[in-house]
C-alpha cells in the first residue's frame, strides 16, 4: 500500500512535465514563418498613431548593434544613456553582438516573425529581403524633416523604391591602402593614377622583393572589390547598374574586368598562402609591412593595427590612393565602390526609436564617432567631416565627397545568394582556376536562378 | 489520458502487466514528446520547406516541387561535397581505424608508462573541433611551424599549400581529423580488448598458435562487436563533418573541401536559400538514415540480437 502515493506522485509529476512541455510548445512555436503576415499588413503606417499624451508612456527600445570594439561600443552606450536621461520614459536595451552571430540571430528572430526595434544594417539585398517580408518600418515621413542633414548618397543606401527603412552612421569608400616606405624602396615616387601604372608598380615591387598586394582567398570579398572596381572603371556606373538590374553579366565590361585580373595574376603579386588567407591574414600582412598594398574600406587602418604583431600597424607609412583609371574605360576616376553601416528600423518600433535615431544622427553625437581614436566611423552627417583627424581618412572622405557614382559593395547590393555567387566566381579567377568569360557566365546563371 | 492512467495505476493483483506498461509509457512520454518536438517535427518541416523556393523571410508560397533536389544532384559543388564525405569514410576505415587498433593492441600490453601514453593519445579528442581547427589553421600558415618543421628536417620539398591547394586540402583535413579522433577509437578498442579474457588467447598460444594467428583468429573475432561500433561511429561522424572544416577552410578553396553539411549551411545561412538548404539537409538525412539502417540490419544485427531477445525473455 505504501506504493500508491509514490506512484501517484511520480505519475502526476510526469504529467505535469508533459503538460508544461506541450503548453510551452504551443506558446513559442518552432520556426514556422509560414505564418509571417503579408508585407502590406505588417508595415504599420508611420505616424498614424502619434503619441501625444501628457504623461509619456513607458517605452523600451531594443537595439542590436555589432560595434564590439572600443571606443565605438562605449560611444554608442553613451549616446543611448544621454537619450534616456533626457527621456525618462524611454528605456534602451542594447544587445552587442559579434558580426556573424548578429546575422544568424537576426535571421532566426525574423523567421519567428519579430524583429528588434533598431538593428545594424548594410542596406542592399538583405535589407530588401527584410523589407519584402514586412520586417522593416517605413520611416520616410518621420525622417523627412532632418533627411537633408545627411549625405544623400549614404542615406539612399537605406531606401528602397522611395521608402526609407534606416539611417546611415558610417559611409566610406574602398581604395588602396599602401605602405609608403615600401613604395619608396621599390623606387615608386607617386601612387599610380592609371591601371597601367599600377601594373608597372606591381612589377617594380616584385623586383624589389616586396609582396605587392595582399588578398584573402578564404574570405573572398576583398579581391571581389578589385574586380568590381575594374568593371566599374571599364564599363562605368550605368553599365554596372544595368548588369545588376538585368542580371545579364555576359557583357564587355564584365569580361574586360576579368581580363585585367588575368594580367594582374600573371605578375604573381599576392602574398604566400593567399588562397587560404582570411581578411585578418591580409590585414596582418600589410600591418606587419610584409605586403605593400591592400584594397579595402575605411576600417583598414584599425584592423591592420589590431592584427599586426606590434598592435600598431605601419603608422605614418600608411597611405591611401583611389582606384586607378583604366585606359579607354567609360568610368570616371571619381566613381567609387563603397558602403558603410546603418541602423534599420524594425516593423514594431515605437516613434521614440526613430526619434532616438534623429538624436543619434545629430552633428553633436555623430562628431563623437568621427573624432574618436581610431575613428569609429566616417559619419555621413553633414558638418562632421572636419572632426576626422587622420590624414588618410580625410582622403577617403574627400573621395566620398567627390563621388560621381557610388556602387554599394557588390556582395551586399545584391541578394545574399547573388553575393555568394559573385564572391565565389571572382575568387576562382584570382586563384587562376577560372576565366573572365566563365566568371560572367557563372554570375549570370546565379542571377537567372533568383 | 491523465485521469485514467493515474487511477489504473493503483496496484491490483490481477493487473500486474498493464500496470508495468503504463508506468513504462509514462516514464517514456516526456522523452518521446521532446524527441517528437525537436527531432521528428523539424525533419518533417525540413522536408516540407525543401519543396519551396524560399529565402527564410518571405511567405512560404513559391512551391517548386522537387526542383531543389534536381538542382542539388545536378550541382558540381554538391557532388564534390558528397564525394568528399565518402572519401573521408573510406580513408577513415582504411587508415584511421587500423591505426587505432594497432595502438590499442600495443597499449593493452603491460609496460611502464602505458597510462601516460593512453592519456596523450586520447588528449586530442578532448579538444573541441573549433579549437583544433583554429590551432591547425595557424600551424599550417605559410612559413609557420609545420612548414619550418619540414624544412628543418630537410624535407622542404614536401611543403604544400596545405589548405590553399584544391587538390591537397582534403588530404590535409583527413590527417587532422584522424589526429583528433584516433584516440577516441583507440580507447574504445582498448576497452573491448580488456573485455576479452586473457585465458583464451593463452590457451591458443599453448595449443601452438603464433602471435599473429592468435590475434587474427581469437582476439579480432572477439573484438568484433567493439570494432563494428567503432566503424559505425566513424562513418556517421564522417557524414556529419562540419565544425572543423568550417573553421579551417569554409569548404574552400573553390569548394574543394565542401561536405554535405557545409554545403547545407552555406545554402541556408549564407545564401539564404532556405528551401534549397532544406533539400540538402534532407539528402544528408537520407544518406545517414540509409547507411545507419543498412549497417544495423546487416552488420550490427548479431550484436544487437542478444540484447533484444534478453529483454523479451
Amino acid at each position: 500500500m505504501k506504493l500508491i502515493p509514490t506512484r501517484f506522485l511520480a505519475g502526476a509529476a510526469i504529467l505535469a512535465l508533459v503538460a508544461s512541455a506541450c503548453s510551452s510548445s504551443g506558446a513559442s512555436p518552432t520556426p514556422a514563418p509560414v505564418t509571417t503576415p503579408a508585407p502590406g499588413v505588417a508595415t504599420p503606417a508611420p505616424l498614424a498613431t502619434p503619441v501625444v499624451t501628457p504623461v509619456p508612456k513607458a517605452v523600451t527600445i531594443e537595439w542590436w548593434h555589432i560595434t564590439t570594439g572600443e571606443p565605438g561600443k562605449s560611444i554608442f552606450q553613451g549616446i543611448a544613456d544621454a537619450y534616456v536621461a533626457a527621456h525618462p520614459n524611454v528605456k534602451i536595451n542594447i544587445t552587442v553582438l559579434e558580426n556573424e552571430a548578429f546575422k544568424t540571430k537576426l535571421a532566426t528572430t525574423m523567421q519567428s516573425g519579430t524583429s528588434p526595434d533598431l538593428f545594424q544594417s548594410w542596406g542592399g539585398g538583405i535589407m530588401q529581403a527584410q523589407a519584402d517580408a514586412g520586417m522593416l518600418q517605413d520611416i520616410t515621413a518621420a525622417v523627412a524633416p532632418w533627411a537633408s542633414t545627411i549625405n544623400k548618397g549614404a542615406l539612399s543606401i537605406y531606401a528602397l523604391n522611395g521608402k526609407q527603412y534606416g539611417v546611415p552612421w558610417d559611409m566610406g569608400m574602398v581604395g588602396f591602402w599602401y605602405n609608403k616606405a615600401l613604395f619608396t624602396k621599390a623606387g615608386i615616387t607617386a601612387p599610380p593614377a592609371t591601371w597601367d601604372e599600377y601594373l608597372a608598380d606591381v612589377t617594380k615591387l616584385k623586383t624589389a622583393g616586396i609582396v605587392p598586394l595582399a588578398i584573402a582567398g578564404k574570405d573572398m570579398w576583398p579581391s571581389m572589390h578589385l574586380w568590381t572596381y575594374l568593371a566599374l572603371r571599364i564599363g562605368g556606373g550605368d553599365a554596372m547598374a544595368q548588369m545588376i538590374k538585368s542580371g545579364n553579366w555576359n557583357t564587355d565590361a564584365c569580361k574586360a574586368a576579368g581580363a585585367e585580373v588575368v594580367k594582374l595574376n600573371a605578375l604573381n603579386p599576392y602574398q604566400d598562402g593567399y588562397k587560404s588567407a582570411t581578411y585578418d591574414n591580409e590585414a596582418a600582412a600589410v600591418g606587419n609591412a610584409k605586403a605593400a598594398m591592400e584594397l579595402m574600406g575605411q576600417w583598414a587602418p584599425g584592423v591592420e593595427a589590431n592584427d599586426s604583431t606590434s598592435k600598431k600597424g605601419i603608422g605614418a607609412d600608411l597611405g591611401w590612393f583611389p582606384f586607378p583609371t583604366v585606359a579607354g574605360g567609360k568610368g570616371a576616376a571619381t566613381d567609387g565602390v563603397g558602403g558603410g553601416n546603418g541602423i534599420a528600423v524594425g516593423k514594431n518600433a515605437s516613434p521614440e526609436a526613430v526619434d532616438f535615431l534623429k538624436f543619434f544622427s545629430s552633428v553633436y553625437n555623430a562628431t563623437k564617432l568621427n573624432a574618436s581614436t581610431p575613428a569609429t566611423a566616417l559619419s555621413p552627417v553633414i558638418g562632421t567631416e572636419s572632426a576626422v583627424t587622420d590624414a588618410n581618412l580625410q582622403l577617403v572622405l574627400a573621395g566620398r565627397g567627390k563621388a560621381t557614382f557610388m556602387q554599394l559593395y557588390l556582395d551586399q547590393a545584391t541578394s545574399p545568394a547573388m553575393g555568394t555567387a559573385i564572391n565565389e566566381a571572382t575568387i576562382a579567377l584570382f586563384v587562376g582556376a577560372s576565366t573572365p568569360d566563365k566568371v560572367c557566365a557563372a554570375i549570370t546563371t546565379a542571377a537567372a536562378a533568383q | 489520458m491523465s485521469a485514467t492512467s493515474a487511477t489504473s495505476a493503483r496496484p491490483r493483483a490481477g493487473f500486474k502487466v498493464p500496470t508495468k506498461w503504463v508506468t513504462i509509457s509514462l516514464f517514456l512520454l516526456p522523452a518521446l514528446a521532446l524527441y517528437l518536438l525537436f527531432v521528428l517535427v523539424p525533419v518533417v518541416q525540413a522536408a516540407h520547406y525543401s519543396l519551396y523556393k524560399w529565402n527564410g523571410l518571405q511567405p512560404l508560397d513559391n512551391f517548386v516541387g522537387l526542383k531543389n533536389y534536381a538542382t542539388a544532384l545536378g550541382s558540381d559543388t554538391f557532388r564534390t561535397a558528397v564525394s568528399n564525405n565518402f572519401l573521408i569514410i573510406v580513408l577513415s576505415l582504411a587508415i584511421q581505424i587500423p591505426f587505432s587498433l594497432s595502438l590499442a593492441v600495443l597499449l593493452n600490453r603491460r609496460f611502464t608508462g602505458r597510462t601516460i601514453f593512453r592519456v596523450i593519445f586520447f588528449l586530442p579528442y578532448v579538444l573541441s573541433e573549433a579549437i583544433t581547427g583554429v590551432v591547425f589553421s595557424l600551424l599550417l600558415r605559410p612559413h609557420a611551424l609545420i612548414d619550418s618543421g619540414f624544412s628543418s628536417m630537410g624535407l622542404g620539398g614536401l611543403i604544400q599549400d596545405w589548405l590553399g591547394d584544391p587538390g591537397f586540402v582534403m588530404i590535409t583535413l583527413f590527417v587532422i581529423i584522424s589526429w583528433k579522433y584516433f584516440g577516441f577509437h583507440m580507447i574504445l578498442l582498448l576497452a573491448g580488448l580488456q573485455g576479452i579474457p586473457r585465458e583464451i588467447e593463452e590457451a591458443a598460444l599453448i595449443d601452438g598458435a603464433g602471435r599473429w594467428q592468435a590475434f587474427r583468429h581469437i582476439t579480432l573475432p572477439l573484438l568484433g562487436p567493439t570494432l563494428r561500433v567503432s566503424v559505425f561511429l566513424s562513418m556517421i561522424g564522417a557524414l556529419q563533418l562540419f565544425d572543423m572544416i568550417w573553421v579551417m577552410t569554409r569548404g574552400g578553396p573553390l569548394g574543394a573541401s565542401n561536405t554535405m553539411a557545409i554545403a547545407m549551411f552555406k545554402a541556408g545561412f549564407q545564401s539564404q536559400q532556405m528551401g534549397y538548404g532544406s533539400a540538402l539537409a534532407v539528402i544528408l538525412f537520407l544518406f545517414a538514415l540509409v547507411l545507419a539502417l543498412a549497417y544495423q540490419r546487416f552488420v550490427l544485427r548479431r550484436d544487437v540480437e542478444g540484447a533484444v531477445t534478453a529483454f523479451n525473455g
Side-chain angles (χ1 to χ4, degrees), chain A residues 6-17, chain B residues 6 26:
Chain A
T6 325
R7 276 201 182 186
F8 184 76
L9 280 177
I14 288 161
L15 283 170
L17 268 176
Chain B
L26 269 178

Side-chain angles (χ1 to χ4, degrees), chain A residues 424, chain B residues 76-77 80-81 84 166 169 250-259 266:
Chain A
E424 286 179 350
Chain B
D76 285 341
T77 319
T80 311
N84 278 342
V169 63
R250 252 174 265 155
L254 309 177
S257 63
N258 271 333
T259 64
K266 275 186 177 170

Side-chain angles (χ1 to χ4, degrees), chain B residues 76-121:
Chain B
D76 285 341
T77 319
F78 188 64
R79 281 204 296 249
T80 311
V82 175
S83 60
N84 278 342
N85 278 116
F86 282 92
L87 177 74
I88 294 292
I89 291 182
V90 169
L91 289 179
S92 298
L93 300 191
I95 299 172
Q96 189 188 341
I97 302 258
F99 179 71
S100 304
L101 177 63
S102 43
L103 268 185
V105 170
L106 212 62
L107 291 183
N108 198 31
R109 300 206 179 161
R110 284 178 195 285
F111 62 91
T112 34
R114 76 171 176 171
T115 322
I116 294 171
F117 277 108
R118 284 180 188 177
V119 170
I120 290 175
F121 290 147

Side-chain angles (χ1 to χ4, degrees), chain A residues 22-416:
Chain A
C22 291
S23 67
S24 71
S25 80
S28 58
T30 43
V34 196
T35 55
T36 310
V41 182
T43 317
L47 302 182
T49 53
V51 187
V52 194
T53 38
V55 182
K57 73 176 189 323
V59 176
T60 303
I61 300 171
E62 292 292 336
W63 180 21
W64 294 6
H65 72 72
I66 60 165
T67 308
T68 50
E70 294 295 357
K73 190 176 160 189
S74 301
I75 295 174
F76 277 27
Q77 185 67 51
I79 297 175
D81 291 345
Y83 186 82
V84 171
H87 303 79
N89 63 317
V90 177
K91 194 171 164 239
I92 301 179
N93 278 345
I94 296 182
T95 308
V96 189
L97 293 155
E98 186 276 327
N99 186 10
E100 290 301 320
F102 162 77
K103 287 178 183 164
T104 314
K105 189 175 160 111
L106 187 70
T108 42
T109 304
M110 286 192 169
Q111 279 168 31
S112 69
T114 58
S115 72
D117 300 322
L118 300 174
F119 56 92
Q120 166 70 25
S121 176
W122 296 269
I126 294 180
M127 193 181 82
Q128 169 107 52
Q130 291 165 350
D132 287 349
M135 287 294 150
L136 303 180
Q137 189 174 129
D138 177 0
I139 56 168
T140 317
V143 171
W146 49 280
S148 60
T149 63
I150 296 174
N151 177 301
K152 211 175 158 196
L155 194 64
S156 71
I157 290 177
Y158 302 88
L160 286 168
N161 304 322
K163 289 178 180 169
Q164 197 71 36
Y165 292 109
V167 173
W169 54 267
D170 174 38
M171 178 72 196
M173 195 165 112
V174 174
F176 278 109
W177 295 90
Y178 74 108
N179 187 320
K180 292 176 189 166
L182 292 181
F183 266 49
T184 309
K185 198 176 153 197
I188 305 166
T189 45
T194 68
W195 181 246
D196 289 334
E197 283 172 33
Y198 182 87
L199 293 178
D201 287 349
V202 165
T203 311
K204 281 185 199 164
L205 287 161
K206 264 312 251 197
T207 315
I210 298 161
V211 175
L213 179 63
I215 61 173
K218 187 181 172 194
D219 284 335
M220 305 190 279
W221 53 267
S223 50
M224 185 276 300
H225 288 327
L226 204 159
W227 176 87
T228 311
Y229 250 124
L230 283 167
L232 186 63
R233 289 282 183 269
I234 292 166
D238 291 343
M240 182 60 87
Q242 182 59 27
M243 287 191 280
I244 295 172
K245 198 173 163 226
S246 68
N248 177 20
W249 292 77
N250 288 318
T251 59
D252 292 343
C254 179
K255 289 172 190 171
E260 296 304 323
V261 172
V262 172
K263 277 192 208 166
L264 179 63
N265 280 348
L267 304 177
N268 198 12
Y270 315 119
Q271 81 275 29
D272 277 354
Y274 72 95
K275 290 179 184 173
S276 57
T278 61
Y279 165 49
D280 281 318
N281 296 144
E282 170 187 322
V286 181
N288 291 328
K290 292 271 168 60
M293 288 182 277
E294 64 167 337
L295 182 69
M296 195 46 62
Q298 61 272 25
W299 54 88
V303 182
E304 282 171 14
N306 211 24
D307 288 342
S308 66
T309 317
S310 64
K311 295 280 162 198
K312 286 181 184 140
I314 53 174
D317 282 339
L318 187 65
W320 187 88
F321 64 89
F323 199 91
T325 54
V326 178
K330 293 191 188 110
T334 44
D335 290 349
V337 170
N341 298 286
I343 299 177
V345 182
K347 59 171 180 174
N348 292 326
S350 58
E352 280 83 354
V354 185
D355 189 53
F356 171 70
L357 269 190
K358 183 185 170 188
F359 179 73
F360 189 84
S361 309
S362 64
V363 172
Y364 175 76
N365 283 322
T367 300
K368 291 182 193 164
L369 301 176
N370 280 1
S372 69
T373 325
T376 304
L378 292 180
S379 173
V381 174
I382 293 161
T384 58
E385 293 84 355
S386 58
V388 173
T389 49
D390 185 273
N392 290 318
L393 289 178
Q394 277 295 352
L395 291 177
V396 177
L397 269 182
R400 186 187 84 183
K402 279 187 292 188
T404 37
F405 175 87
M406 190 62 93
Q407 173 59 52
L408 176 62
Y409 314 129
L410 211 47
D411 57 348
Q412 274 164 22
T414 53
S415 73

